[in-house]
Amino acid sequence: MRILIIDGQGGRIGRALIEAALKELPEAEVAAIGTNAIATSNMLKSGVKEAATGEYPVVLNAPKADFILGPVGIIAAGSLMGEVTPEMARAVGLSGAKKVLVPMNRCETLIAGMPDTPVGELVKSAVEMVKREVKR
């Protein structure tokens, strides 16, 4: 099972997702892609073995993933303060991978009904969703 975690800006959500995935799904092959070097650098601190930065790694790896995790903005071109390119959003959206997205009411993407849930709880919920899907 291949899990691709994509994040931008400071990579905080991506790092938390990686740490949780490595702990809860030790059998999984986890890879990280940052939309910028700072995000990638921060995600590398999680212990992930594979990481890359930028548009082309997203385009190349999204079709190969079984699961794609990240903030909801990874499916919206121009989100994460413009870091998500149309090609990145398209690659994630068209991937056959199951997408588990962390809802964030930021960067002009608002999610109706989204309560003020701490990021840690959202990350835990995302990894639990992957675990449930794997069991199916």
Side-chain angles (χ1 to χ4, degrees):
M1 166 183 47
R2 183 161 174 82
I3 299 174
L4 180 62
I5 297 177
I6 303 170
D7 197 8
Q9 297 184 312
R12 190 180 100 203
I13 293 169
R15 181 176 177 175
L17 285 167
I18 293 164
E19 288 170 350
L22 291 173
K23 179 181 176 189
E24 297 294 325
L25 300 158
E27 72 284 358
E29 180 183 332
V30 179
I33 300 176
T35 60
N36 66 64
I38 293 170
T40 304
S41 177
N42 198 22
M43 289 190 287
L44 277 167
K45 294 174 185 173
S46 68
V48 70
K49 291 181 175 34
E50 292 181 54
T53 303
E55 178 180 279
Y56 191 68
V58 173
V59 171
L60 184 67
N61 288 283
K64 300 175 186 176
D66 296 304
F67 291 91
I68 298 175
L69 282 69
V72 70
I74 65 174
I75 61 168
S79 66
L80 303 181
M81 296 190 71
E83 293 180 11
V84 177
T85 68
E87 292 79 11
M88 288 173 168
R90 178 175 162 73
V92 171
L94 291 177
S95 171
K98 290 192 185 264
K99 292 117 187 126
V100 181
L101 305 173
V102 177
M104 305 297 292
N105 283 331
R106 294 189 185 150
C107 299
E108 307 303 323
T109 303
L110 305 176
I111 301 165
M114 172 70 187
D116 274 342
T117 304
V119 173
E121 288 182 35
L122 295 171
V123 166
K124 182 178 178 182
S125 176
V127 173
E128 286 299 319
M129 286 180 170
V130 174
K131 286 174 69 174
R132 280 194 304 271
E133 287 298 316
V134 169
K135 288 180 182 177
R136 286 185 182 187

